[in-house]
Each structure stands twice: as C-alpha cells, then as structure tokens.
C-alpha cells in the first residue's frame, strides 16, 4: 500500500483505527522524501530520521491527541518552530533556531502532528517564486524546470509530490493560492482573523496576511482549517473556529457564481488560462450551479493603489531595520528593500486614502454577495515560469512595472480579507497546471469549502500525479 498517496483524512482514520502504525507512516513519507525531495527542494531543514522514528514510536504509545496524531508535517519556513531551524529564507537568519513555537506550530503539535522539517519559501515571503540564498529554489513537480510558485511554494510542491499529507501556508498576495495553482493542489485563504496572528509587532493594522491550510482535497483542507482556526486571546479581531468538514456534503444546484475573468482586461493573462478556468466553471454548471459573467465591479487601478500603499506601509513598519542597517541591507533582497523604501516615503494621508478605497471595495463586494454565492477569478495570470527567472517581467507584451504586478489578480480577495479556495482547474496544452479562485463573503468559509468539495468529487485533479512519481 502506498501510504503517501492516501488522503490526509484517510490516513488519519487508518492510524486511529490501528490499520496502519505511526512508524509505518513516518517511514513511508521519509522514504518518499529521500527519493523525491532532492529533485524539487520542497522540504528544508529536515530533522534526522532516527529522531523522527523515535518520535513516531512515542506517538504510537501515547494517547491520541487529535486529527493529526502521528502524521508527519513540514511547516512553512516563515513560521518559528522551537528547536528547529527557521530562516525566513534570509541569510540573516540562516542558523536561527527559535526557543518557542509560533501559534501555527503550536496548534499543529497540539493536534498530534510530528514536525519533520520546514517547507521552502522566498526570502521574507516576498514574491511568488520560492527561491532564497539559504536553501535555493523549489522546483515544480510537474516540470522540474519551472517555478512552484510562492511564497508557499515548498508546501505546494511537497503536497503534489506526496512528501506530506497536508501543509500550512500563508497568504498576503496569493502566497498559497498561486502555488496551489502552479502545483495542482488546493489552497485556502480563510476569512481574515479566523486563523489568528501571533501577538508580535502590530496586530491592529496588519490585516492583509493570514495563515491557511493546503491539501490535495477540500476535505483535508477543511480538517486542517479546524485545527488552525479559533481566537488568540492576545490578538484582536478573533473569530470562533468550528468543524469545517462537518457540512461539506452540500449540493451545487442553484448556487450562483459570478465569473470576473480578466476584470475587463485589467489583468493580463497568458493564453489558455481563462479558457481553462471557464472549463472548470462548466463543471460547476454540470453539477447544477449557475455561472454568470460579470463586468468589473470596481476600478482595478484603485485596488492596486490601495494594495501597494498598505502593503508597503506594513513592510516599512515591520522591517525598516533591514534597510537602515548597512550590514543587514547588504544581505536583503532588492524587492524587500523596495517595499520598505516605498513605505517610508508614504504620508498618513496616503495611508488613509488607501484605506478608504479598501472600505469602498468591501462595501461593493458585499452588495455582489446579495446576488452571488461565490465569485471566481483565475488563481494566477501566468503559467508556471522558468525556475531561473526572478519573476515574469511581462505578460503577453504588457510590461510588469513592479516585481509583483504579475500577481495582481489576487488583490481583490486579499485587500478585504475574503475567504477564498484555490481549486485546480486542470492542465493546459503545455501540460502545466493552473487553478481558479473561488471566493465568498466574509465568514462564508464553510460554504466555499463545500462548493470546492462538490467540484473535487467531479474532477479530482490532484489525482493526476506529477511525472516524477
């Protein structure tokens, strides 16, 4: 039996029922990592096999702690992990070993997970291509010459290659949606505040980024979300968690989906992406949903101006020392320095104006959700690109004026913290994967996951394994 090919849900059930041992599971995944990870570089800072097998044996003897009991999980390298090297992809932290766990790691451990290592990420999570000077580049399991996306590229590639059963990701500017699309897996950006922040730095203004679950099925994603969600008493704006897998079996019949395509031409798309997403929407229609094309509901350039202002403001506030300290500056990627310097040049009036745009878009989106159960956009504007690129500098002849403009299609969701599931849309004529964003009103996390679950039952794209498997 290929234990690494089971869904996380099935694997958990088999461990709980005694059909498989934790040691057998750990051994199977470590064997797969040993064989495949050198080719894709998805998992970094892997712990010694002897230590992990000993921990698996201890888990077999202990009382079951939760849904993840005894399951091997690698945590994104932006999450601090006690006793396990955490680099943030930065040479400034190449040898950093934290004394404490961040909240995500704590919650994974509390649910019984065995942390085996980290998943690779861009330096400071900036850019949707997972390369850094500490660990190198993560490659796409479906084409070893191409990017796995980012900043959760290591997580997405590890899932696609069956190196882990589920994975955590984080998402500010599509950081788990873009790699999910590139690697033919699911990534869920929850309603902002559902998975809380750690009580570090600013926790009142920093409302653009969130942690979230990734998996090879919406059911696995929903179960992991139940582990990660719930308030943190030390941070504001918390939302209650729930069993997000309990209500997945809902019909699509009668559900209304608004298709935003390329936002009236505002978002440049490489050829074939829109058509593949429309084919995915046709599956929803076959299952009884009603899909309606939508004109742009808000000015894309206003969204971009608001987004880049607020993002730069937050980066400047949190990371100003990387630019001001000459030694740190010399070891920091230019994209991060650009964010900081742009943020330092902003005025209070600039930030306020950006927040007003954000507020107007939230209200406009809320009105749309009176008519629609979900809205849809492509999850990426380009196909997985050559791994040696820093980022795509043009799309269809349209020059990208920043290092992240090619990811602009994720901004409408990120700016106002809506729940969004990146679903696999299939493969293009080039043989490469692509995905689609399905998003809903604030708090509609369970409903969006249920729609994704029905779609997955009709498609199961992640079951099309990468050639290297």
């Amino acid at each position: 039996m290929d234990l690494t090919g089971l869904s996380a849900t099935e694997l958990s059930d088999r461990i709980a029922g005694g059909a498989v041992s934790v040691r057998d599971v750990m051994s199977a995944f470590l064997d797969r990592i040993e064989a495949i990870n050198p080719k894709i570089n998805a998992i970094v800072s892997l712990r010694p096999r002897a230590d992990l097998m000993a921990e698996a044996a201890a888990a077999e003897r202990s009382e079951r702690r939760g849904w993840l009991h005894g399951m091997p999980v690698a945590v994104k390298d932006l999450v601090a992990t006690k006793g396990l090297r955490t680099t943030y992809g930065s040479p400034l932290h190449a040898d950093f070993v934290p004394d404490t766990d961040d909240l995500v790691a704590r919650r994974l451990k509390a649910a019984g997970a065995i942390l085996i290592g980290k998943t690779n990420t861009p330096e400071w999570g900036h850019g949707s291509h997972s390369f850094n000077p500490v660990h190198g580049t993560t490659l796409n399991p479906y084409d070893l010459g191409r990017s796995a996306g980012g900043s959760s590229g290591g997580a997405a590639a590890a899932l696609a290659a069956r190196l882990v059963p589920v994975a955590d990701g984080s998402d500010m500017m599509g950081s788990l949606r873009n790699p999910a699309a590139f690697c033919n897996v699911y990534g869920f950006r929850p309603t902002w505040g559902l998975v809380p922040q750690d009580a570090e730095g600013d926790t009142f203004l920093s409302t653009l980024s969130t942690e979230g679950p990734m998996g090879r099925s919406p059911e696995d994603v929903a179960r992991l979300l139940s582990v990660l969600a719930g308030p943190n008493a030390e941070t504001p704006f918390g939302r209650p968690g729930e069993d997000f897998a309990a209500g997945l079996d809902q019909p699509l019949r009668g559900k209304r989906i608004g298709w935003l395509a390329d936002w009236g031409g505002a978002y440049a798309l490489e050829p074939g992406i829109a058509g593949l997403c429309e084919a995915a929407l046709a599956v929803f229609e076959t299952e009884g949903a009603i899909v309606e094309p939508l004109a742009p509901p808000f000015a894309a350039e206003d969204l971009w101006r608001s987004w880049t202002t607020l993002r730069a403001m937050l980066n400047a506030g949190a990371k100003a020392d990387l630019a001001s300290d000459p030694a740190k500056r010399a070891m920091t990627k230019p994209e991060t320095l650009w964010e900081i310097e742009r943020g330092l040049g902003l005025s209070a009036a600039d930030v306020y104006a950006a927040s007003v745009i954000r507020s107007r878009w939230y209200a406009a989106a809320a009105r749309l959700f009176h008519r629609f159960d979900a809205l849809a956009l492509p999850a990426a504007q380009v196909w997985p690109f050559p791994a040696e690129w820093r980022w795509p500098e043009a799309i269809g002849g349209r020059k990208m004026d920043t290092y992240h403009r090619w990811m602009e299609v994720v901004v409408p969701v990120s700016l106002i913290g809506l729940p969004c599931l990146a679903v696999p849309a299939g493969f293009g004529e080039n043989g490469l994967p692509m995905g689609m964003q399905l998003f809903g009103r604030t708090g509609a996390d369970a409903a969006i996951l249920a729609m994704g679950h029905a779609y997955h039952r009709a498609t199961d794209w992640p079951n099309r394994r990468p050639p290297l498997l």
Side-chain angles (χ1 to χ4, degrees):
M1 180 195 309
D2 177 15
L3 295 177
T4 67
L6 298 177
S7 73
T9 297
E10 187 173 5
L11 194 61
S12 177
D13 289 345
R14 292 195 181 198
I15 292 172
V20 298
S21 72
V22 173
R23 281 176 292 176
D24 286 344
V25 169
M26 180 62 72
S27 182
F29 277 97
L30 292 179
D31 287 348
R32 176 59 58 86
I33 290 168
E34 182 179 340
I36 300 297
N37 194 57
K39 301 175 184 178
I40 61 174
N41 193 36
I43 294 179
V44 297
S45 301
L46 183 67
R47 294 173 58 199
R49 186 183 187 107
D51 293 350
L52 291 170
M53 291 305 298
E55 195 165 335
E60 280 188 8
R61 296 190 298 269
S62 69
E63 186 175 336
R64 184 170 172 83
R65 301 180 65 187
W67 176 68
L68 291 172
H69 186 84
M71 294 170 66
V73 176
V75 184
K76 187 172 178 179
D77 204 21
L78 298 181
V79 174
T81 43
K82 182 179 179 180
L84 179 57
R85 185 169 66 147
T86 302
T87 74
Y88 311 100
S90 168
L92 294 168
H93 296 278
D95 300 311
F96 175 53
V97 178
D99 294 327
T100 59
D101 284 321
D102 278 348
L103 180 140
V104 164
R106 292 198 304 273
R107 290 190 172 179
L108 291 171
K109 287 180 177 180
I114 299 175
L115 303 192
I116 63 171
K118 310 302 285 285
T119 54
N120 203 26
T121 182
E123 183 178 338
W124 297 114
H126 287 164
S128 198
H129 180 24
S130 295
F131 69 95
N132 63 68
V134 181
H135 296 298
T137 303
T138 297
L139 303 177
N140 194 311
Y142 287 92
D143 185 331
L144 298 180
R146 295 185 179 265
S147 170
S151 61
S152 306
L159 282 167
R162 278 62 178 171
L163 308 187
V164 290
V166 287
D168 68 292
S170 59
D171 190 303
M172 188 182 213
M173 194 175 175
S175 283
L176 57 73
R177 289 167 283 163
N178 175 282
F182 275 20
C183 293
N184 189 39
V185 298
Y186 290 87
F188 187 67
R189 179 189 165 106
T191 295
W192 193 87
L194 182 58
V195 179
Q197 305 174 75
D198 285 276
E200 297 176 2
D202 169 65
T203 59
F204 276 87
L205 297 178
S206 300
T207 57
L208 298 182
S209 180
T210 180
E211 307 286 341
M214 303 178 73
R216 293 190 296 271
S217 74
E219 182 176 22
D220 289 351
V221 167
R223 292 189 188 282
L224 183 55
L225 179 61
S226 298
V227 170
L228 299 177
N232 175 2
E234 298 180 357
T235 60
F237 314 126
R239 290 177 171 271
E242 60 181 276
D243 181 355
F244 290 97
L248 285 177
D249 291 324
Q250 300 293 327
L252 281 171
R253 182 159 302 280
K255 299 293 185 183
R256 300 186 65 88
I257 302 172
W259 169 229
L260 290 159
D262 62 359
W263 207 274
Y267 303 147
L269 301 178
E270 287 191 333
I273 290 176
L276 203 64
C277 292
E278 287 163 0
L281 289 168
V283 175
F284 282 92
E285 288 182 304
T286 299
E287 296 296 311
I290 302 161
V291 178
E292 178 183 328
L294 275 184
F298 206 86
E301 196 58 39
D302 286 348
L303 297 179
W304 181 249
R305 183 167 62 253
S306 174
W307 175 258
T308 53
T309 297
L310 295 172
R311 177 181 168 97
M313 177 267 292
L314 293 172
N315 273 301
K319 298 181 174 66
D321 63 311
L322 299 180
S324 61
D325 182 321
K328 292 181 180 179
R329 186 182 183 92
M331 300 177 73
T332 299
K333 69 189 292 186
E335 295 87 347
T336 298
L337 296 175
W338 178 84
E339 291 276 7
I340 295 167
E341 288 167 353
R342 187 175 184 277
L344 293 174
L346 296 170
S347 68
D350 293 330
V351 174
Y352 182 78
S355 190
V356 168
I357 292 171
R358 184 189 197 188
S359 302
R360 287 173 45 224
W361 166 227
Y362 187 93
R367 291 191 291 271
L368 283 175
F369 291 122
H370 291 313
R371 296 171 50 203
F372 296 100
D373 298 284
L375 302 177
L377 280 166
Q381 293 172 243
V382 299
W383 298 98
F385 52 85
E388 64 269 19
W389 292 8
R390 289 187 75 86
W391 71 83
E393 296 183 1
I395 302 177
R398 190 186 305 183
K399 183 174 175 57
M400 301 292 102
D401 56 1
T402 71
Y403 79 98
H404 50 12
R405 189 83 184 223
W406 63 275
M407 300 151 54
E408 188 177 2
V409 75
V410 303
V411 166
V413 168
S414 292
L415 188 61
I416 54 176
L418 300 179
C420 180
L421 180 65
V423 303
F427 294 76
E429 293 181 0
N430 52 19
L432 297 173
M434 185 44 58
M436 182 178 72
Q437 300 177 81
L438 190 72
F439 60 102
R441 61 172 177 79
T442 296
D445 302 74
I448 293 297
L449 287 166
M451 292 178 72
H453 181 63
Y455 169 80
H456 177 74
R457 285 182 162 180
T459 56
D460 192 13
W461 281 115
N463 195 40
R464 177 166 163 177
R465 299 189 176 201
L468 84 171
L469 297 186

